[in-house]
């Protein structure tokens, strides 16, 4: 799923960027980050020093808990990376919709298992591109061109989302390029 989510982010321009939040410590050592789609917390500084600062980031609450001792008035600076537009949860939901479209168009039946964050049967690299392309169309239906290494789709702006998806799957099914093997 990480590969598929990354491909979707590239297609939609939702590229990871850096953020810094600065807080003044009062009485609580729990700090809520300002950006909602945090990917990772890189470091926490206390009064411009990273030495001896221990912390834990909770992704479900978007909070950083500093377990090092702090004194009232200390400046706490948190460096992190985040995605500006879409959370992992949102992408997962759109991927599931794409999997339904792929199944409805009789290509293959894929199932998303949220317990281990995986798709079964495991998609090949080309199929990951198909899933990412369809997901991008669902999320941003007015996009006129989608490009991946093995497929490029250009469509008029007046076509419905379902028609665009149908054309993508049709083109993918009829793609005869690739590895040929003699049995």
């Amino acid at each position: 799923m990480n590969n598929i989510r990354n491909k979707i982010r590239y297609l939609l321009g939702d590229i990871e960027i850096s953020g810094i939040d600065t807080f003044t410590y009062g009485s609580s050592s729990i700090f809520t980050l300002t950006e909602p789609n945090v990917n990772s917390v890189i470091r926490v500084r206390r009064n411009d020093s990273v030495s001896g600062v221990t912390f834990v980031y909770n992704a479900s609450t978007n909070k950083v808990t500093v377990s090092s001792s702090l004194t009232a008035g200390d400046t706490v600076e948190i460096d992190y990376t985040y995605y500006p537009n879409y959370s992992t949860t949102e992408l997962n939901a759109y991927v599931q919709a794409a999997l339904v479209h792929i199944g409805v168009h009789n290509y293959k039946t894929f199932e998303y298992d949220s317990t281990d964050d995986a798709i079964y049967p495991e998609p090949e690299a080309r199929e990951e591109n198909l899933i990412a392309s369809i997901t991008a169309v669902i999320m941003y239906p007015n996009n006129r061109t989608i490009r991946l290494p093995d497929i490029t789709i250009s469509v008029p702006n007046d076509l419905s989302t379902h028609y665009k998806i149908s054309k993508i799957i049709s083109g993918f099914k009829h793609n005869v390029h690739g590895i040929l093997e003699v049995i």
Side-chain angles (χ1 to χ4, degrees):
M1 274 298 289
N2 282 333
N3 285 343
I4 293 170
R5 283 190 294 262
N6 286 337
K7 290 175 182 187
I8 296 165
R9 289 188 191 283
Y10 290 135
L11 287 170
L12 298 178
D14 191 27
I15 308 303
E16 180 181 71
I17 57 178
S18 298
I20 298 174
D21 285 349
T22 304
F23 305 93
T24 301
Y25 175 71
S27 60
S28 175
S29 60
I30 300 172
F31 305 95
T32 302
L33 299 176
T34 57
E35 296 297 334
N37 304 320
V38 174
N39 188 36
S40 65
V41 174
I42 300 167
R43 73 180 146 262
V44 176
R45 293 187 189 102
R46 179 184 63 226
N47 299 327
D48 292 327
S49 173
V50 294
S51 177
V53 179
T54 55
F55 65 92
V56 174
Y57 171 64
N58 184 328
S60 62
T61 62
N62 203 32
K63 296 180 185 226
V64 174
T65 302
V66 177
S67 53
S68 304
S69 63
L70 297 170
T71 305
D74 279 352
T75 300
V76 176
E77 190 174 271
I78 302 171
D79 296 349
Y80 58 95
T81 60
Y82 68 97
Y83 295 107
N85 299 318
Y86 301 102
S87 70
T88 299
T89 303
E90 288 174 299
L91 292 180
N92 289 348
Y94 283 114
V95 165
Q96 290 178 63
L99 297 178
V100 170
H101 281 285
I102 291 169
V104 165
H105 285 87
N106 295 319
Y107 172 70
K108 190 183 250 184
T109 301
F110 289 108
E111 294 291 329
Y112 173 70
D113 184 352
S114 61
T115 57
D116 56 349
D117 192 34
I119 295 174
Y120 296 105
E122 186 175 338
E124 298 172 7
R126 285 185 69 241
E127 292 169 333
E128 287 181 357
N129 290 342
L130 174 67
I131 295 167
S133 297
I134 293 171
T135 304
V137 167
I138 293 169
M139 294 175 75
Y140 187 54
N142 294 329
N143 192 356
R144 299 180 78 183
T145 304
I146 295 174
R147 289 193 178 118
L148 286 172
D150 58 352
I151 188 170
T152 298
I153 301 136
S154 297
V155 293
N157 207 20
D158 59 345
L159 296 177
S160 73
T161 302
H162 292 289
Y163 185 75
K164 290 177 187 178
I165 291 169
S166 176
K167 294 296 280 180
I168 291 169
I169 295 171
S170 175
F172 185 83
K173 283 180 177 179
H174 292 99
N175 185 353
V176 295
H177 298 49
I179 299 171
L180 300 176
E181 192 173 307
V182 178
I183 300 179

